[in-house]
Amino acid sequence: MTNGHDRSLQMKDATFNILIGGEAGQGLITVGQILSRILVRSGYFIVVTQDYQSRIRGGHNTFAIRVGIDEVTAPKKSIDLLIAFDNNTVALHQRDLSANGLIVLDEALHIESDLALKVPFKDLAQERFSNIVSLGVVGFLLGLDEELMVRTVDDFFGKKNVSLAAENRHVLSVAAEWASTHRTSSHNLAAISNTPQRLMMNGNEAIALGAVSGGLQFCSFYPMTPATSIVLNLTAHAKKMGLIVEQAEDEIAAINMAIGASFTGAPSMVATSGGGFALMVEGVSLAAMTETPVVVVVAQRPGPATGLPTRTEQGDLELVLHSGHGEFPRAIFAPGTVEECFHLTRKAFELAERYQGPMFLLTDQFLADSYRAAVPFDIETLPSVSVGTESAGSSQYTRYAITESGISPRLLPGMTENLVVADSDEHTEAGHITENLFVRKQMVEKRLRKGKGIRAEVTPPYMVGEKKPDLLLISWGSSKGAVNEAASHIRSEGEKVATLHFSQVWPLVPEQFIGYLESARKVVIVEGNAFGQMARLIRRETGFQFRNKVLRYDGLPITPEFILRELSR
Amino acid sequence: MITISDYVDYETAWCPGCGNFSILKAVKQALAARQLKPHEVLFVSGIGQAAKAPHYLNANVFNGLHGRSLPVATGAKLANPNLTVIVESGDGCNYGEGGNHFLAAIRRNINVTLLVHNNQVYGLTKGQASPTSAEGFVTKAQPEGVLSAPFNPIAVAVAMRTGFVARGFAGMLDHLSELIQQGINHRGLALIDVLQPCVSFNKINTFDWYKQRCNPLSPTYDPTDWEQAIKVASEWGNKIPTGIIYRNDRIPFEEHFPVLRQGPLVGRNADRAMLKKIMEGYK
């Protein structure tokens, strides 16, 4: 793809990019998480990108933190501070160092580099404190507040062990002291004037919290990366929030259990990835036919089959869109930020309960594991989601009463003397199996009428930039930040550019966006898959043909640099 | 006073002479004997001729997918433990398509009564072999006879120390109804495997075939004796033991959840103050 511009790939910006690399099991995630929290508590914005292999020990993993005073929304390739736990990290990432870049490493690694700050780890503390040494050195280099660091380390390890806390504090100060005598603090982050209290939260944590605030009471699951941490978060809150979280024997059981719990009145969710979701698909159809609310989270990773279990992709849009045999309405949300993970999960619960059927949330490994500084949610004032209907609607209660909206009064079994009969077969209004083809037609139309309501509640695509741009970038889901950043970079070079982002990918309401597509001189869609699945979907719904696509399917998240490079081809 | 008429008589889609009729009657008798009101009971079924049974009585019903009744029943029971949950489905549904769920439900010991209509053949799809068909059983789909060994649900259930394991026969109505009552009464998973003829597709295991063989366990039989139960569970041939073969008093699954001690999940509102506190923990 060429457009006459030779875009600079080295984006100049006010952010600072830290990459921690090493083998699985070396504690780099611990260092990454603590450092991220210190940064958020200091008032910075962050975007974390975790790149890891499907193994518990060894290999090569990284935890990257991009830091900024202003909101940061996307990962970046070039590195300002490389914290290397092994030689491999230096070998693999040295070439990405920025002009002012620095490598922090253990002098025992025997690496010769002008850019390296060699820290005598074994002289500074016992080996089990090496993570704290790293934090102490990095904290000094970045100019982070020492008391805040101590408090954050204490919070991470728990304050109960007083001697451990004292030891951590000591090691932090020894490490900072060493750093101060060996390096001027030339990598200080820009000072923050006010430090609003933000949450350090990743996409999956926000989904779990959003689900609970949306009324979730039951979650059944079968472990699958990158969805598992959603469920682990729910499990962590289960006792306090009165939830039941059950590990099922397989994904088929998981979705059927969720449907059973929801049928009896407990708002339910399942969370899985593509392969697990493939097993759930018949259950999706069951939820639709029995008109049972259920929220399905699909955290995408590259397929087909087992694919790349720990990497990212946006390859399951078409799977989720077409999942389940037969015809029924659905909504598919694709959050682009941690805040959207929270709010759209809530919305999925609202729609599932209101329209009595399966609703979907499509996220991916990048967003799942990406910590951000999020503005706290207004938990107390959020409306609660109501479950079932108060009244039977008529004297002779029927679960599938034909209504204009398609929504039938939903009583919960055992909660009144009315009987609730649900059937996966085509059924009468009373819920009993039928082969009356007139009734069949009525029931199809009733179920599809609910689609009107779902359509009326669509979260419209979000437009940023000039109304009639020379270049319009289209995106959906987790690439939101990268696309917006690429656009502002292009804008800074004087081009008229806009972005249009879909946080809900189904249903599409063409009137909401076709005008933008048609009035742009050039339209480019950015997707994390090889087909351009969203491009195909928009074409199917509107006839609009995308000539230009930026597609990434190597397992890595879409970055602004990637978009700029592809655009300049 | 609840009587069998509270569970109503409906027209069915079964073949005349089907074993399902007497099983349905035994179920209604058991519900009436237990004085359960229709709205207190939830039937969960899958797909097959047996799975239609809940449509022919008056109760809450979730007629789901083939093989998946146990997970639905488990979710339903966990969300509302006040419901009496009964799974009613066939041998293909529970032992074939739903085999993994059968094992998992036993391990959980969820307080659900599992009523399996076992006619050793697939009726709804017109006569293919089922997991319990005898070796050599000839069908249109298995013209050379079934090559696989039959699944013995009783032996598996006893080996896994299922809370309650019983075998009934559709031709012993009162005995069967008594087993169902006891199964409902049992706190934990109660398997009742019910032998029944299929008049259309199983010309071997006929009503008379079962009648000659089904043999109630002696009144002195002790179902808490696991080693004896293992032996009895593998008996199959000229004499087929019926009755409660094994039982124990393992704690039912749902009782492990402290959150359920305050009653069903249904209708509770999220504790917003607590949720806010949890959120603050991410700062």
Side-chain angles (χ1 to χ4, degrees):
Chain A
M1 185 185 310
T2 60
N3 60 2
H5 285 265
D6 180 22
R7 299 198 198 284
S8 155
L9 298 187
Q10 279 288 327
M11 296 188 312
K12 286 198 180 111
D13 61 57
T15 66
F16 189 84
N17 202 23
I18 304 164
L19 187 130
I20 310 164
E23 291 181 13
Q26 283 188 313
L28 66 97
I29 293 173
T30 304
V31 173
Q33 285 179 343
I34 296 173
L35 187 54
S36 297
R37 193 170 301 280
I38 297 167
L39 289 164
V40 171
R41 285 179 173 180
S42 304
Y44 295 102
F45 286 95
I46 60 166
V47 166
V48 167
T49 308
Q50 297 194 55
D51 182 29
Y52 50 101
Q53 295 181 316
S54 187
R55 54 195 288 175
I56 308 302
R57 299 276 175 204
H60 177 67
N61 294 353
T62 63
F63 189 108
I65 313 167
R66 189 175 177 204
V67 193
I69 292 185
D70 299 320
E71 190 169 8
V72 193
T73 56
K76 185 183 170 182
K77 195 164 187 227
S78 94
I79 301 163
D80 302 300
L81 180 63
L82 179 62
I83 304 168
F85 283 19
D86 63 356
N87 294 23
N88 202 19
T89 298
V90 180
L92 288 169
H93 302 285
Q94 194 167 18
R95 63 172 169 268
D96 294 328
L97 277 179
S98 63
N100 194 27
L102 176 70
I103 310 172
V104 172
L105 46 75
D106 188 344
E107 66 172 7
L109 291 177
H110 299 295
I111 287 178
E112 290 314 315
S113 167
D114 299 343
L115 304 171
L117 175 62
K118 293 188 243 177
V119 184
F121 274 74
K122 71 171 171 39
D123 299 343
L124 296 177
Q126 288 170 283
E127 198 184 337
R128 66 193 179 100
F129 290 101
S130 56
N131 290 338
I132 308 294
V133 173
S134 308
L135 281 169
V137 171
V138 170
F140 171 79
L141 292 174
L142 300 179
L144 298 174
D145 181 80
E146 215 172 315
E147 263 317 298
L148 180 65
M149 291 185 61
V150 168
R151 182 157 62 81
T152 309
V153 168
D154 281 351
D155 289 350
F156 190 90
F157 292 106
K159 288 170 212 172
K160 282 184 189 151
N161 189 336
V162 177
S163 66
L164 177 72
E167 193 80 29
N168 282 336
R169 176 184 286 262
H170 174 69
V171 173
L172 274 175
S173 93
V174 167
E177 174 68 24
W178 178 89
S180 70
T181 57
H182 289 80
R183 186 90 192 180
T184 56
S185 184
S186 57
H187 287 81
N188 263 1
L189 296 173
I192 292 267
S193 48
N194 67 329
T195 55
Q197 291 271 296
R198 297 198 187 93
L199 312 171
M200 184 194 94
M201 187 173 276
N202 67 28
N204 276 1
E205 289 169 341
I207 289 172
L209 217 59
V212 180
S213 88
L216 174 136
Q217 290 183 309
F218 187 91
C219 174
S220 39
F221 75 105
Y222 190 86
M224 188 166 187
T225 308
T228 311
S229 64
I230 297 169
V231 180
L232 297 183
N233 273 281
L234 290 174
T235 305
H237 311 324
K239 272 202 184 123
K240 285 180 182 162
M241 293 307 301
L243 322 174
I244 290 186
V245 183
E246 172 62 3
Q247 181 170 327
E249 54 273 27
D250 54 38
E251 283 88 347
I252 297 173
I255 192 162
N256 279 279
M257 258 184 221
I259 289 169
S262 177
F263 173 66
T264 38
S268 298
M269 179 171 94
V270 291
T272 184
S273 190
F277 180 64
L279 292 178
M280 291 185 177
V281 162
E282 194 190 16
V284 166
S285 191
L286 175 68
M289 187 56 148
T290 57
E291 305 197 40
T292 310
V294 65
V295 173
V296 180
V297 181
V298 179
Q300 299 163 102
R301 68 192 217 188
T306 313
L308 290 169
T310 60
R311 308 306 165 100
T312 200
E313 196 161 278
Q314 294 182 302
D316 294 333
L317 169 59
E318 290 180 350
L319 170 68
V320 170
L321 178 65
H322 300 291
S323 61
H325 52 294
E327 297 168 301
F328 52 89
R330 74 188 79 198
I332 309 172
F333 297 100
T337 62
V338 165
E339 286 86 350
E340 283 183 1
C341 283
F342 178 89
H343 290 292
L344 294 176
T345 305
R346 272 184 59 81
K347 188 162 177 186
F349 271 89
E350 283 167 15
L351 294 189
E353 293 297 331
R354 192 172 311 139
Y355 296 101
Q356 305 175 13
M359 300 293 162
F360 300 86
L361 197 81
L362 202 48
T363 179
D364 56 36
Q365 179 269 329
F366 164 60
L367 186 56
D369 295 330
S370 183
Y371 290 101
R372 312 277 170 101
V375 177
F377 309 112
D378 203 354
I379 298 267
E380 275 156 331
T381 62
L382 293 167
S384 57
V385 175
S386 59
V387 180
T389 357
E390 294 286 321
S391 90
S394 66
S395 55
Q396 184 61 48
Y397 176 67
T398 56
R399 172 65 189 89
Y400 302 108
I402 301 280
T403 63
E404 204 180 317
S405 64
I407 301 170
S408 313
R410 183 166 87 96
L411 295 184
L412 306 172
M415 303 306 284
T416 71
E417 295 213 340
N418 291 289
L419 300 180
V420 185
V421 180
D423 195 359
S424 72
D425 293 274
E426 191 55 275
H427 40 254
T428 60
E429 287 183 88
H432 287 294
I433 183 167
T434 185
E435 296 197 37
N436 178 326
L437 304 185
F438 174 75
V439 172
R440 154 69 181 174
K441 190 161 175 282
Q442 277 192 316
M443 281 295 160
V444 170
E445 288 162 2
K446 165 193 140 52
R447 286 188 291 269
L448 297 193
R449 278 201 296 278
K450 295 192 290 183
K452 263 193 189 167
I454 294 170
R455 199 180 142 98
E457 296 196 48
V458 157
T459 301
Y462 187 64
M463 168 95 173
V464 179
E466 289 79 354
K467 277 273 147 57
K468 289 185 177 177
D470 293 332
L471 175 65
L472 177 64
L473 297 175
I474 311 289
S475 59
W476 64 279
S478 71
S479 62
K480 181 179 189 176
V483 170
N484 279 330
E485 187 172 337
S488 31
H489 183 80
I490 297 167
R491 195 173 293 124
S492 72
E493 293 181 340
E495 195 168 337
K496 276 176 71 181
V497 60
T499 58
L500 184 67
H501 181 81
F502 290 82
S503 291
Q504 182 168 359
V505 291
W506 189 258
L508 293 179
V509 182
E511 311 81 275
Q512 291 176 341
F513 60 88
I514 189 67
Y516 298 130
L517 298 183
E518 284 169 348
S519 58
R521 244 183 41 183
K522 178 178 176 180
V523 180
V524 180
I525 191 159
V526 181
E527 296 193 56
N529 59 57
F531 274 158
Q533 296 184 17
M534 186 68 183
R536 299 212 290 209
L537 179 56
I538 292 174
R539 185 184 177 196
R540 191 186 90 185
E541 294 300 306
T542 66
F544 186 88
Q545 170 90 42
F546 288 87
R547 288 191 187 81
N548 304 294
K549 295 173 199 151
V550 169
L551 304 174
R552 182 161 209 180
Y553 41 87
D554 60 359
L556 294 174
I558 292 169
T559 60
E561 291 132 310
F562 179 87
I563 297 167
L564 295 177
R565 191 173 67 231
E566 291 295 307
L567 288 175
S568 64
R569 278 212 183 155
Chain B
M1 173 85 181
I2 300 292
T3 67
I4 191 164
S5 65
D6 288 295
Y7 284 92
V8 192
D9 259 332
Y10 294 94
E11 196 188 322
T12 79
W14 292 324
C15 310
C18 179
N20 285 340
F21 291 104
S22 48
I23 301 175
L24 180 61
K25 194 166 180 201
V27 169
K28 289 181 188 172
Q29 275 184 13
L31 294 170
R34 296 276 308 122
Q35 285 299 297
L36 285 162
K37 295 178 186 144
H39 77 274
E40 295 169 335
V41 184
L42 168 64
F43 279 86
V44 182
S45 70
I47 298 299
Q49 293 294 4
K52 293 177 187 171
H55 286 287
Y56 307 140
L57 45 71
N58 203 37
N60 295 300
V61 179
F62 190 96
N63 181 185
L65 299 171
H66 187 54
R68 314 305 169 198
S69 351
L70 277 169
V72 171
T74 303
K77 186 72 184 178
L78 286 173
N80 188 349
N82 292 349
L83 287 166
T84 294
V85 181
I86 302 172
V87 166
E88 189 166 11
S89 232
D91 42 330
C93 202
N94 282 301
Y95 305 144
E97 190 88 14
N100 196 21
H101 312 311
F102 178 62
L103 301 181
I106 291 174
R107 291 181 50 225
R108 287 194 182 94
N109 196 33
I110 186 83
N111 188 1
V112 163
T113 307
L114 171 58
L115 201 59
V116 184
H117 300 213
N118 182 357
N119 58 7
Q120 301 177 259
V121 74
Y122 283 16
L124 189 70
T125 52
K126 300 191 177 175
Q128 302 80 19
S130 95
T132 53
S133 296
E135 232 169 316
F137 181 68
V138 175
T139 79
K140 276 189 189 167
Q142 288 81 21
E144 308 301 323
V146 171
L147 304 176
S148 303
F151 180 73
N152 180 341
I154 301 287
V156 170
V158 174
M160 292 181 70
R161 297 178 192 267
T162 305
F164 179 102
V165 186
R167 181 188 283 126
F169 168 44
M172 294 158 50
L173 197 140
D174 289 339
H175 176 261
L176 175 59
S177 183
E178 175 64 26
L179 288 181
I180 296 169
Q181 278 188 61
Q182 298 230 28
I184 292 171
N185 222 10
H186 177 77
R187 288 169 58 251
L189 186 74
L191 167 66
I192 304 160
D193 185 73
V194 188
L195 300 174
Q196 65 158 134
C198 172
V199 292
S200 296
F201 299 108
N202 191 337
K203 307 295 186 192
I204 308 285
N205 311 106
T206 60
F207 187 84
D208 284 339
W209 189 94
Y210 287 117
K211 198 173 175 203
Q212 284 161 23
R213 288 167 175 78
C214 285
N215 185 29
L217 289 160
S218 107
T220 59
Y221 176 81
D222 176 11
T224 63
D225 180 343
W226 182 73
E227 277 161 11
Q228 186 184 211
I230 282 279
K231 278 188 201 147
V232 170
S234 54
E235 285 171 22
W236 183 269
N238 289 337
K239 283 200 167 176
I240 300 172
T242 57
I244 302 169
I245 293 170
Y246 176 69
R247 69 188 309 167
N248 63 36
D249 53 6
R250 204 179 135 213
I251 185 172
F253 188 65
E254 63 278 11
E255 290 184 16
H256 293 291
F257 294 86
V259 48
L260 292 176
R261 286 185 199 136
Q262 311 146 46
L265 294 179
V266 183
R268 285 192 216 168
N269 279 324
D271 178 348
R272 290 297 177 88
M274 177 59 79
L275 186 59
K276 189 174 178 197
K277 209 175 143 198
I278 288 171
M279 183 191 70
E280 300 287 330
Y282 288 92
K283 278 184 178 168

